[in-house]
Amino acid sequence: MPVEFLGIAATNNGSETTPRSGASFDREYTLRLARAHEDHGWDRVLFAYGSGSPDPAPAAAYIASKLDHLQILLAHRPNVSYPTYAAKTFATLDQISEGRLTVHFITGGNNQEQGREGDTLTKDERYARTREYIRIVKKIWTTREPFDHEGEHYRFHDFVSDVFPVQQPRPDVSFGGSSPAAYAAGGAEADIYCLWGEPLAKTAEQIENVKAAAKAAGRTDVPRIQVAFRPIIAPTEELAWEKAHRTVGAIKARKEKGEAITKRHNGQAQPQAAAPQNVGSQRLIAIAEAGERYDRALWTPTAAATGGAGNSNALVGTPETVAQALLDYYDLGVDILSARGYDLLGDATDFGRYVIPIVREEVAKRDAERAERGTGNLTAVNG
């Protein structure tokens, strides 16, 4: 099966290790980073969503209008707009990008973050809303006649869109999460199911959970699987591990500096950060507490240093080591590999130059061998 690579479409140069040097939306840097991905073999980039961050949809439209091939994964939270409005936005962006859009729907795993934009539903209610939202968006993309909808969270009448996606019958839908509710929602509705990087055995378990959820929803197909990592590469193993430890040191130093600034402004020490509410981050913390190194190259201190914040487990080593580690996940059934370094621009370039070609070459060999075995079996049967 083909393999794809997903990078990050950051709108500024800040990361966990380095504060940004300019505005939250730096138009020149946004384009420069996206172009580095397009020029170095990446398939698509993620425009992430945050309550106070630049709106990802117009940022994605800007990049789509400037680049010719790079595909777009647009993150969207259902609480911020009505599905009729969102479906038109997505269809318009698919037109602008000439069919390069995938939409990643975020249910939201943190009550405080959701509340910043007025979302007061419980987590279970949010999952129910997301499922209803995705179904509405899909129907709007594919229906040419006015229709009514009477659901738990949305009601409207006589709606039909006048803008449709380039992709037929519709763009792909992406979804992620590690809780039973997430598996159920994504298993039912997602074309792509997204996981954070975990040890191989745990990733295999999650893939089986997604497959079971898809089957329980009555599907005859299963979502494609995407897994995300933070690669830390260098010319030698020794240099890679030195870089990894420097990276964790920088994460901790920046975190401590931020806490010191807050303490100075508020005049009091800050309480210890609360445990994360989302199951994905809880899993990352538990894995980090159980050990620092797993399998060929997985390293957990980066996740531990951030409190399991999002995609935070690293793959450490030479390009060859990291490529082989990624191929281990490919062999589990993962065909979309997400990677984001800490020096966003430099790491995107290096990963594209030194890791992606190795993985693509090895995947091509595997596919050729499978095809040859299949042909051989067919010949034996026919003979």
Side-chain angles (χ1 to χ4, degrees), residues 1 72 84 86 99 103-104 117 127 153 176 183 213 225 237 246 255 283 303 322 328 330 335 358-359 370-371 378:
M1 59 183 176
I72 292 163
T84 50
V103 181
H104 180 69
E117 292 187 286
Y127 274 112
H153 298 280
Y183 296 141
I225 302 296
E237 295 293 329
R246 287 198 308 272
K255 184 176 181 181
R283 288 174 64 98
V322 171
D328 291 338
Y330 175 82
D335 65 341
I358 297 174
V359 176
R370 289 192 188 101
L378 182 62

Side-chain angles (χ1 to χ4, degrees), residues 105 107 127 130-131 134-135 138 170 173-195 206-225:
F105 289 94
T107 298
Y127 274 112
T130 300
R131 292 182 71 164
I134 293 173
R135 289 171 183 155
K138 287 179 178 178
R170 59 173 176 78
V173 165
S174 171
F175 189 89
S178 297
S179 67
Y183 296 141
E189 300 296 337
D191 302 295
I192 299 168
Y193 201 98
C194 307
L195 302 170
Q206 291 213 73
I207 292 173
E208 290 307 312
N209 288 335
V210 173
K211 290 180 178 179
K215 183 177 180 180
R219 292 177 61 169
T220 56
D221 64 336
V222 295
R224 298 172 64 196
I225 302 296

Side-chain angles (χ1 to χ4, degrees), residues 1-67:
M1 59 183 176
V3 65
E4 296 182 9
F5 288 91
L6 170 70
I8 190 70
T11 58
N12 60 71
N13 63 353
S15 76
E16 296 92 332
T17 60
T18 310
R20 70 178 191 239
S21 60
S24 178
F25 181 69
D26 182 333
R27 186 175 64 180
E28 292 183 2
Y29 183 85
T30 301
L31 178 57
R32 187 180 175 195
L33 180 60
R35 183 167 284 134
H37 282 86
E38 181 167 86
D39 290 346
H40 292 93
W42 298 77
D43 295 285
R44 61 169 60 88
V45 289
L46 167 66
F47 284 84
Y49 190 94
S51 59
S53 301
D55 188 341
Y62 170 64
I63 293 303
S65 69
K66 297 290 185 180
L67 302 181

Side-chain angles (χ1 to χ4, degrees), residues 87-108:
K88 295 185 297 180
T89 300
F90 303 147
T92 304
L93 182 52
D94 200 52
Q95 289 284 344
I96 292 170
S97 67
E98 298 182 304
R100 288 179 278 152
L101 176 69
T102 299
V103 181
H104 180 69
F105 289 94
I106 303 172
T107 298

